[in-house]
Amino acid sequence: MTTIYDVAEVAGVSISTVSHVLNRTRPVREETRTRVLAAMQKLEYRPSSLARAMVRQKTRTIGLIVPDNVNPFFAELARGIENYGFDAGYSVMLCNSDQSAEKEVAYLDMLISKRVDGVIYMTSDAAEERLAPLRSQMIPVVTFDRDFPGVHTVMLENHRGGFTATEHLINLGHRRIACVAGNYSTSHSQDRVSGYRDALEQNGLVYDPALVLIGDWSLASGKSAALHFMRMAQPPTAIFACNDIMAIGAISGLHTLGLAVPDDISLVGFDDISVSAYTVPALTTVATPVRELGEMMCQMLVDTIGGVIDGTAIRRTLSGKLVVRESTAPPHRR
Amino acid sequence: MTTIYDVAEVAGVSISTVSHVLNRTRPVREETRTRVLAAMQKLEYRPSSLARAMVRQKTRTIGLIVPDNVNPFFAELARGIENYGFDAGYSVMLCNSDQSAEKEVAYLDMLISKRVDGVIYMTSDAAEERLAPLRSQMIPVVTFDRDFPGVHTVMLENHRGGFTATEHLINLGHRRIACVAGNYSTSHSQDRVSGYRDALEQNGLVYDPALVLIGDWSLASGKSAALHFMRMAQPPTAIFACNDIMAIGAISGLHTLGLAVPDDISLVGFDDISVSAYTVPALTTVATPVRELGEMMCQMLVDTIGGVIDGTAIRRTLSGKLVVRESTAPPHRR
DNA sequence: CTGAAAGCGCTTACAG
DNA sequence: CTGAAAGCGCTTACAG
């Protein structure tokens, strides 16, 4: 691996000069510059970001912690982050936590050791104390849907989303509406469910805990929730799932039972991941601008690193939008 | 940020000693050790991986270049890589190329500058020359389904997979079978298609170019291919799509046309991504062990970095397995 | 059992 | 317009 010393020697200048032509950080005589450039070319010189990072105290790398990058929501989010990061000259380290506190801590530790300039932290629970090391190292953090003091965050209007989804079903004439919640002990799911509950109650319907099941955001849990609901003595005529993945699992469960969507039962999801427009039937859902969300989070982080944003924590809110497709219809009259 | 000097001072020892208790690299008197450990704890010391990397010439970081991490195939692959890497003490940098040569080159450059120990390179075309810089820097590379001299690779039995999928349809009685190919100029798609063709010809059926459409692996392209096929004067009774995503798009297209799968037309995919078991109808597909693939690739890379594998390029082959679900049936008799 | 010193490859005041 | 030197935070022979 050729170093700045090799280049300096070949070009017959000092390493300072090489460094300065590299960074355009002070005027260099044109002839000298050309010689240096030629030497770099000839030696296929690639400056070491490591050495640079040591002295600049900036690695131009950010850490991204997600529960699971296979989940389309996080995949899309990672994409948005990577996109923005690339354009801004940052690379991103991918860390999957599997919703495990130990893995989160292990990764946080690794990221600090690698001296990342910042981290985007999609935590699965509300454990603020895990952020302490970042805080004491002065590493900026951006979270999603969290309310940690001093930490930037992007919020999603979860309550409103749950409300809108449910209201849509009520407006279609549904009276018995079930809900598949998610299991992160966070606003994420809880707010969507309370939006569901409020929509029910504001429309004079009773909230029945038996109609709320807690899944784990997976296809399998959506499917088993649907199976469970349809085996009740008095099954619901519609289901609101807290994410599209579970909604898709539910469609599959219903299909297994020989039930048709939306003829026999209506279904609303949340997120609008890309397959949702291609399911059979196409899914009605609350669309979240996930990629934009990722880009926004990355921008907040980069701006903080660059000092564009001062120390005070900022909050931004993104709202979902109901997208009506084929999976919802008035309840079947039997 | 506290350094090894701070720890040494607080513990009243030299930095050599601190380094040695940190790395357990030479015996240290128990009492001294305890003092050092206490100092590290007190100062919340986190050794800088940057400084360590400078002297060790190893970053314990690998680069992953994929066309798009949102594509479930690459998402699953990234997961397998990250999993194995985490256990082996490596972190992974996520790079999306969007199938663009320029982005690949830019990322390759960045990865070299950041001195990654190796790269896993899912390239969208067969451009071997882009690997030259890696080669001259002696950075190990693992590719997928590529045959670059001196470069490790994991091959998939694409031809066999395409053959098996098509044969399954033929065995069900189909005679007019279409194919949705992918657009990477690689064995990836080409071999699957030639497997399809060989299955046809070995069973006495003619290969009709009009029945092969080139998509771009996306939902949208699968859908439009299906629409195209069904508008032909003599539409096929079955479709083999070169990945599940396009197959799912095709189901959607057929649904739009009011056609039922598999009653009106049968469908086979490739990959077996997780949703494929949950589509309506559940998709018959050639299952690829994608996560294992990722783990295997990462292991090959880590072993090469660690010197476990010598310089000679190794090739491993993974085979797909037909998973019959609901999307295939004998052709409809009208 | 422990320490002093060189070196990894850069950037950046400080001088001239 | 250019160079010599210190320093970023570690590891690792070399000595004792």
Side-chain angles (χ1 to χ4, degrees), chain A residues 302-317:
Chain A
V302 166
D303 286 351
T304 305
I305 293 167
V308 177
I309 295 178
D310 66 14
T312 63
I314 68 177
R315 294 199 167 352
R316 291 215 208 147
T317 302

Side-chain angles (χ1 to χ4, degrees), chain A residues 1 50 93, chain B residues 57-64 90-93 95 107-108 110-120 134 137-140 301 305:
Chain A
M1 185 121 313
L50 288 180
M93 294 222 170
Chain B
Q57 304 279 51
K58 288 280 174 241
T59 51
R60 305 228 89 180
T61 301
I62 63 180
L64 168 63
Y90 284 82
S91 22
V92 359
M93 293 221 173
C95 313
Y107 258 130
L108 247 15
M110 165 179 262
L111 293 174
I112 295 178
S113 276
K114 296 226 165 159
R115 300 294 191 261
V116 293
D117 293 338
V119 356
I120 293 178
L134 277 316
Q137 314 288 339
M138 307 279 287
I139 298 175
L301 191 63
I305 294 168

Side-chain angles (χ1 to χ4, degrees), chain A residues 1-2 43-54 59-61 64 67-70 72 74-79 82-83 85-86 89-98 102-103 106-110 112-115 132-133 136-139 219-221 223 245 248-249 251-253 255-256 274-282 291 326, chain B residues 1-2 43-54 59-61 64 67-70 72 74-79 82-83 85-86 89-98 102-103 106-110 112-115 132-133 136-139 219-221 223 245 248-249 251-253 255-256 274-282 291 326:
Chain A
M1 185 121 313
T2 104
L43 299 174
E44 295 186 49
Y45 173 61
R46 320 242 172 188
S48 162
S49 295
L50 288 180
R52 175 174 293 175
M54 289 258 347
T59 52
R60 305 228 90 180
T61 301
L64 168 62
D68 177 17
N69 76 277
V70 172
F74 296 115
E76 194 72 42
L77 185 93
R79 193 62 162 92
E82 186 267 351
N83 264 10
F86 180 78
Y90 285 80
S91 22
V92 359
M93 294 222 170
L94 176 66
C95 313
N96 286 302
S97 70
D98 279 324
E102 301 91 79
K103 267 195 103 173
Y107 258 130
L108 247 15
D109 248 49
M110 164 179 263
I112 295 177
S113 276
K114 298 228 164 156
R115 300 295 191 261
S136 66
Q137 314 287 338
M138 307 280 287
I139 298 174
L219 288 160
S221 74
K223 180 167 190 161
I245 292 286
I248 291 170
I251 297 183
S252 167
H255 171 68
T256 301
S274 57
V275 262
S276 299
Y278 291 85
T279 52
V280 173
R291 191 170 294 211
E326 308 168 341
Chain B
M1 187 123 310
T2 104
L43 299 174
E44 295 185 48
Y45 174 60
R46 321 244 172 188
S48 162
S49 296
L50 288 180
R52 175 175 293 173
M54 290 258 347
T59 51
R60 305 228 89 180
T61 301
L64 168 63
D68 177 16
N69 77 277
V70 171
F74 296 115
E76 194 68 49
L77 185 93
R79 194 62 163 92
E82 185 266 353
N83 263 10
F86 180 79
Y90 284 82
S91 22
V92 359
M93 293 221 173
L94 176 67
C95 313
N96 287 302
S97 71
D98 279 325
E102 303 90 79
K103 266 195 103 174
Y107 258 130
L108 247 15
D109 249 48
M110 165 179 262
I112 295 178
S113 276
K114 296 226 165 159
R115 300 294 191 261
S136 65
Q137 314 288 339
M138 307 279 287
I139 298 175
L219 288 159
S221 74
K223 180 167 189 161
I245 292 287
I248 292 171
I251 297 183
S252 167
H255 171 67
T256 301
S274 57
V275 261
S276 298
Y278 291 85
T279 52
V280 173
R291 192 170 294 211
E326 309 167 341

Side-chain angles (χ1 to χ4, degrees), chain A residues 213-226:
Chain A
L213 237 46
I214 297 181
D216 65 0
W217 308 99
S218 72
L219 288 160
S221 74
K223 180 167 190 161
S224 64

Side-chain angles (χ1 to χ4, degrees), chain B:
Chain B
M1 187 123 310
T2 104
T3 74
I4 199 173
Y5 290 96
D6 303 322
V7 176
E9 192 175 332
V10 168
V13 297
S14 73
I15 61 162
S16 315
T17 298
V18 176
S19 175
H20 284 118
V21 339
L22 205 54
N23 302 302
R24 316 183 155 283
T25 184
R26 90 178 170 193
V28 172
R29 188 154 53 107
E30 189 50 33
E31 192 221 83
T32 317
R33 218 180 77 85
T34 317
R35 249 185 15 246
V36 172
L37 258 15
M40 296 207 283
Q41 190 102 37
K42 178 180 166 197
L43 299 174
E44 295 185 48
Y45 174 60
R46 321 244 172 188
S48 162
S49 296
L50 288 180
R52 175 175 293 173
M54 290 258 347
V55 5
R56 291 230 184 119
Q57 304 279 51
K58 288 280 174 241
T59 51
R60 305 228 89 180
T61 301
I62 63 180
L64 168 63
I65 299 185
V66 292
D68 177 16
N69 77 277
V70 171
N71 178 316
F73 180 86
F74 296 115
E76 194 68 49
L77 185 93
R79 194 62 163 92
I81 290 167
E82 185 266 353
N83 263 10
Y84 189 92
F86 180 79
D87 290 339
Y90 284 82
S91 22
V92 359
M93 293 221 173
L94 176 67
C95 313
N96 287 302
S97 71
D98 279 325
Q99 305 186 41
S100 136
E102 303 90 79
K103 266 195 103 174
E104 282 189 10
V105 170
Y107 258 130
L108 247 15
D109 249 48
M110 165 179 262
L111 293 174
I112 295 178
S113 276
K114 296 226 165 159
R115 300 294 191 261
V116 293
D117 293 338
V119 356
I120 293 178
Y121 187 33
M122 309 293 287
T123 179
S124 43
D125 53 34
E128 194 202 340
E129 72 277 7
R130 290 207 278 281
L131 285 180
L134 277 316
R135 209 186 300 270
S136 65
Q137 314 288 339
M138 307 279 287
I139 298 175
V141 178
V142 175
T143 57
F144 175 58
D145 259 358
R146 289 291 170 284
D147 199 6
F148 298 155
V151 176
H152 299 317
T153 196
V154 178
M155 304 287 237
L156 199 60
E157 293 189 330
N158 287 306
H159 182 278
R160 166 120 70 127
F163 191 95
T164 308
T166 311
E167 200 174 41
H168 167 63
L169 292 169
I170 295 171
N171 289 344
L172 284 171
H174 292 277
R175 292 293 169 264
R176 217 171 145 62
I177 302 169
C179 174
V180 189
N183 66 343
Y184 302 160
S185 57
T186 63
S187 55
H188 218 80
S189 165
Q190 283 166 10
D191 289 355
R192 290 178 193 179
V193 175
S194 68
Y196 153 83
R197 178 177 188 155
D198 289 350
L200 250 30
E201 294 178 345
Q202 285 183 29
N203 284 277
L205 299 176
V206 301
Y207 168 80
D208 179 359
L211 285 178
V212 177
L213 236 47
I214 297 181
D216 65 358
W217 308 100
S218 72
L219 288 159
S221 74
K223 180 167 189 161
S224 64
L227 295 180
H228 174 91
F229 286 138
M230 301 320 286
R231 284 180 188 133
M232 291 175 74
Q234 231 193 96
T237 64
I239 301 176
F240 162 52
C242 282
N243 75 344
D244 284 356
I245 292 287
M246 292 193 293
I248 292 171
I251 297 183
S252 167
L254 266 7
H255 171 67
T256 301
L257 258 26
L259 263 22
V261 178
D263 296 339
D264 297 311
I265 182 156
S266 285
L267 214 47
V268 182
F270 207 115
D271 287 344
D272 195 23
I273 59 180
S274 57
V275 261
S276 298
Y278 291 85
T279 52
V280 173
L283 194 64
T284 293
T285 188
V286 179
T288 306
V290 194
R291 192 170 294 211
E292 288 73 8
L293 171 64
E295 287 169 353
M296 182 182 284
M297 293 181 82
C298 193
Q299 181 181 11
M300 286 168 72
L301 191 63
V302 166
D303 286 352
T304 305
I305 294 168
V308 176
I309 295 177
D310 67 13
T312 65
I314 68 177
R315 295 203 165 350
R316 292 216 207 147
T317 301
L318 240 42
S319 42
K321 195 171 151 296
L322 184 73
V323 178
V324 178
R325 288 199 273 247
E326 309 167 341
S327 66
T328 47
H332 192 61
R333 315 278 164 210
R334 310 179 193 236

Side-chain angles (χ1 to χ4, degrees), chain A residues 177-181 193 196 200 207-214 228-229:
Chain A
I177 303 169
C179 174
V180 189
V193 176
Y196 152 83
L200 250 31
Y207 168 80
D208 179 359
L211 285 177
V212 178
L213 237 46
I214 297 181
H228 173 91
F229 286 138

Side-chain angles (χ1 to χ4, degrees), chain A:
Chain A
M1 185 121 313
T2 104
T3 73
I4 198 171
Y5 290 96
D6 303 322
V7 176
E9 192 174 333
V10 168
V13 296
S14 74
I15 60 163
S16 314
T17 298
V18 177
S19 174
H20 284 118
V21 338
L22 205 55
N23 302 302
R24 317 181 156 284
T25 183
R26 89 178 170 193
V28 172
R29 189 152 54 105
E30 191 48 34
E31 191 220 85
T32 318
R33 217 179 79 84
T34 317
R35 255 192 4 254
V36 171
L37 257 14
M40 297 205 284
Q41 190 102 37
K42 178 179 166 197
L43 299 174
E44 295 186 49
Y45 173 61
R46 320 242 172 188
S48 162
S49 295
L50 288 180
R52 175 174 293 175
M54 289 258 347
V55 3
R56 290 230 184 119
Q57 303 280 50
K58 288 280 175 243
T59 52
R60 305 228 90 180
T61 301
I62 63 179
L64 168 62
I65 300 186
V66 291
D68 177 17
N69 76 277
V70 172
N71 178 317
F73 180 85
F74 296 115
E76 194 72 42
L77 185 93
R79 193 62 162 92
I81 291 167
E82 186 267 351
N83 264 10
Y84 190 91
F86 180 78
D87 290 338
Y90 285 80
S91 22
V92 359
M93 294 222 170
L94 176 66
C95 313
N96 286 302
S97 70
D98 279 324
Q99 305 186 39
S100 133
E102 301 91 79
K103 267 195 103 173
E104 282 190 8
V105 170
Y107 258 130
L108 247 15
D109 248 49
M110 164 179 263
L111 293 175
I112 295 177
S113 276
K114 298 228 164 156
R115 300 295 191 261
V116 294
D117 294 338
V119 358
I120 293 178
Y121 186 34
M122 309 291 288
T123 180
S124 45
D125 53 33
E128 195 204 339
E129 72 276 8
R130 291 206 278 281
L131 285 181
L134 277 316
R135 208 185 300 268
S136 66
Q137 314 287 338
M138 307 280 287
I139 298 174
V141 179
V142 174
T143 57
F144 174 59
D145 259 359
R146 291 290 169 285
D147 198 5
F148 298 156
V151 176
H152 299 315
T153 196
V154 179
M155 305 287 237
L156 198 60
E157 294 188 328
N158 287 307
H159 182 280
R160 168 120 72 126
F163 191 96
T164 308
T166 310
E167 200 174 40
H168 167 64
L169 293 168
I170 295 171
N171 290 343
L172 284 171
H174 292 276
R175 292 294 170 264
R176 220 173 141 62
I177 303 169
C179 174
V180 189
N183 67 344
Y184 303 159
S185 55
T186 61
S187 54
H188 219 80
S189 165
Q190 283 166 9
D191 289 354
R192 291 177 193 180
V193 176
S194 67
Y196 152 83
R197 178 176 187 158
D198 289 350
L200 250 31
E201 293 178 346
Q202 286 182 29
N203 284 278
L205 299 175
V206 300
Y207 168 80
D208 179 359
L211 285 177
V212 178
L213 237 46
I214 297 181
D216 65 0
W217 308 99
S218 72
L219 288 160
S221 74
K223 180 167 190 161
S224 64
L227 295 179
H228 173 91
F229 286 138
M230 301 320 286
R231 284 182 188 130
M232 291 175 73
Q234 231 193 95
T237 64
I239 300 176
F240 162 50
C242 281
N243 75 345
D244 284 356
I245 292 286
M246 293 194 291
I248 291 170
I251 297 183
S252 167
L254 265 10
H255 171 68
T256 301
L257 258 27
L259 261 22
V261 177
D263 297 340
D264 296 313
I265 182 158
S266 286
L267 212 49
V268 182
F270 206 115
D271 287 346
D272 195 23
I273 59 179
S274 57
V275 262
S276 299
Y278 291 85
T279 52
V280 173
L283 194 64
T284 292
T285 187
V286 179
T288 307
V290 194
R291 191 170 294 211
E292 288 73 9
L293 171 64
E295 287 169 353
M296 183 182 285
M297 293 180 83
C298 193
Q299 180 181 11
M300 286 168 72
L301 191 63
V302 166
D303 286 351
T304 305
I305 293 167
V308 177
I309 295 178
D310 66 14
T312 63
I314 68 177
R315 294 199 167 352
R316 291 215 208 147
T317 302
L318 240 41
S319 43
K321 194 170 151 300
L322 184 74
V323 177
V324 178
R325 288 199 274 247
E326 308 168 341
S327 66
T328 45
H332 193 62
R333 316 275 163 210
R334 312 180 190 233

